Amino acid sequence: MFKYFLILLFVAIPLNSYSKESKFEKRLQKDIKKLSKISGFIDNNSKSYSEDEISDRQNTIVIIWNHGQRDGQKRIERCKKGINEPEVIANLHNKEINGLKIKIYRMCSGVRGLNQPQMDRAWNLIDKEGNQNGLLEIVDYDGMRLFDKIKQHLRRQIVIDKIDELREKGFPNIIMAGQSCGGFLSIFLTAHFPDKIKGSIATNPACYGENVAPRNVEGDKSTYSEWKALRDDWEQTISQFAEINSLAFIHDKDPYENSETLSFLNKINKFQIVNYTDFGCNKMAGTSFHSAIVYPREDNCFTKWEAKHNYIINYLEEIF
């Protein structure tokens, strides 16, 4: 539960910095409360409904959909109803898998992360001292690492708390799903909590900037270099798992991650990768192939392509 997370933070914080940490916690709780009003069960038209309408929870598969990230570190994500969950996921509402009925849970967890002074401290270490591990190593004034205050990482605890809550309410069959940063999050939590999460569906998983071009370029000043250490830390962490039950859709023209940058996932047992580069569709005007699964929201080309192959249904049938 999130209260235990706060207790751990308190234990790790020196007494003379407790007032500063309380301010951080207060802001975090305020953000979570605001975002929780958007989270909840939705039908195939993204219309919200009460969990009380689900009577047979033991025979329900809950797919928790996790949005990507658009608004940087300093702002709460724009979790507007209907724009975050793609058609390919929404269409799974009420589908049956071996006697179990699928329900979709929209998870809005994009709390605020680092502020500008914190980002400046990390950038100074990276740019002036050439230490790419700035966001990994810097300890904030309250005793917490900046690493633990990054938006993507705060989301981890928020989502696992929601999973614990759903399990306590009688939903034992939890599947993670997510686009972009939500995909990275889904893979991460599936790896760490296999006792709570049956599997995950990740579409165009990525989270720490453009990864294709500048990975090994010395002195690179693109936005990616600022996050390179975090991207590499994610890969190193995930690579340590011998088994992760996950299904990932990847496109080779995705500017953030592709089949080459994510090739290490092929070595992990139960990790299935579907390369949809040749799915026969053009990208939507004004977007990259990274967004092909999400936009357009309706009559989506990827949705039609996936329905012909039934990768998601087949994957869920293997689990249940």
Side-chain angles (χ1 to χ4, degrees), residues 122-132 210 213-228:
W123 181 247
N124 285 337
L125 189 64
I126 295 170
D127 189 39
K128 294 182 179 180
E129 300 183 23
N131 185 348
Q132 294 294 319
E210 294 191 5
R215 291 203 65 184
N216 299 310
V217 178
E218 292 293 334
D220 175 65
K221 296 297 186 294
S222 72
T223 56
Y224 173 65
S225 63
E226 189 171 343
W227 301 94
K228 182 178 186 302

Side-chain angles (χ1 to χ4, degrees), residues 8-276:
L8 289 173
L9 290 179
F10 173 77
V11 171
I13 297 166
L15 291 178
N16 60 5
S17 64
Y18 175 66
S19 60
K20 295 180 181 178
E21 183 55 36
S22 293
K23 183 178 180 180
F24 167 75
E25 292 178 3
K26 184 177 181 180
R27 188 191 75 175
L28 183 59
Q29 289 285 22
K30 183 179 179 181
D31 290 345
I32 293 172
K33 184 177 181 180
K34 181 177 181 179
L35 293 169
S36 66
K37 296 178 181 179
I38 304 174
S39 299
F41 286 97
I42 57 172
D43 61 18
N44 56 309
N45 294 313
S46 295
K47 183 179 179 180
S48 301
Y49 64 92
S50 172
E51 64 185 44
D52 294 335
E53 297 181 27
I54 306 175
S55 57
D56 189 0
R57 299 183 178 187
Q58 286 292 320
N59 291 314
T60 295
I61 298 171
V62 178
I63 297 180
I64 300 178
W65 174 256
N66 297 275
H67 56 80
Q69 182 172 312
R70 293 186 297 264
D71 291 327
Q73 290 291 315
K74 294 179 288 184
R75 296 175 57 189
I76 297 178
E77 292 296 323
R78 295 168 290 171
C79 296
K80 295 180 180 179
K81 297 179 180 180
I83 69 170
N84 293 295
E85 53 281 353
E87 187 179 48
V88 70
I89 295 297
N91 286 351
L92 296 172
H93 172 69
N94 277 346
K95 291 285 180 67
E96 289 197 9
I97 303 293
N98 296 326
L100 306 179
K101 186 169 289 187
I102 296 175
K103 301 293 183 180
I104 310 300
Y105 189 95
R106 176 204 290 128
M107 186 74 207
C108 188
S109 58
V111 295
R112 282 174 287 189
L114 302 181
N115 57 35
Q116 193 59 52
Q118 291 167 330
M119 291 295 296
D120 289 342
R121 289 181 65 200
W123 181 247
N124 285 337
L125 189 64
I126 295 170
D127 189 39
K128 294 182 179 180
E129 300 183 23
N131 185 348
Q132 294 294 319
N133 293 322
L135 288 170
L136 283 165
E137 296 179 358
I138 292 179
V139 177
D140 209 359
Y141 300 111
D142 53 25
M144 286 184 66
R145 288 190 305 165
L146 293 187
F147 178 85
D148 297 316
K149 292 186 175 183
I150 292 169
K151 179 187 287 189
Q152 298 95 315
H153 301 169
L154 291 173
R155 289 176 64 181
R156 296 171 180 174
Q157 188 63 43
I158 295 170
V159 176
I160 203 64
D161 283 349
K162 175 55 64 174
I163 290 173
D164 286 340
E165 179 185 323
L166 288 171
R167 284 167 54 85
E168 289 175 1
K169 290 181 176 179
F171 295 99
N173 304 312
I174 304 293
I175 292 290
M176 294 287 290
Q179 163 75 7
S180 190
C181 272
F184 259 31
L185 173 68
S186 298
I187 294 170
F188 183 91
L189 293 182
T190 303
H192 284 82
F193 299 98
D195 57 324
K196 301 179 181 182
I197 303 169
K198 303 290 187 181
S200 56
I201 303 163
T203 59
N204 293 99
C207 205
Y208 301 110
E210 294 191 5
N211 189 39
V212 178
R215 291 203 65 184
N216 299 310
V217 178
E218 292 293 334
D220 175 65
K221 296 297 186 294
S222 72
T223 56
Y224 173 65
S225 63
E226 189 171 343
W227 301 94
K228 182 178 186 302
L230 298 186
R231 165 56 178 75
D232 291 345
D233 177 80
W234 182 87
E235 178 175 332
Q236 291 166 11
T237 299
I238 296 301
S239 295
Q240 294 174 7
F241 289 88
E243 179 178 295
I244 304 175
N245 196 337
S246 187
L247 172 67
F249 292 92
I250 296 170
H251 195 289
D252 280 337
K253 291 185 179 180
D254 185 334
Y256 299 99
E257 301 280 354
N258 57 34
S259 59
E260 181 179 354
T261 64
L262 294 174
S263 60
F264 71 95
L265 295 172
N266 290 314
K267 302 175 183 178
I268 301 175
N269 291 332
K270 290 191 175 181
F271 204 107
Q272 302 179 37
I273 293 180
V274 177
N275 188 324
Y276 74 99

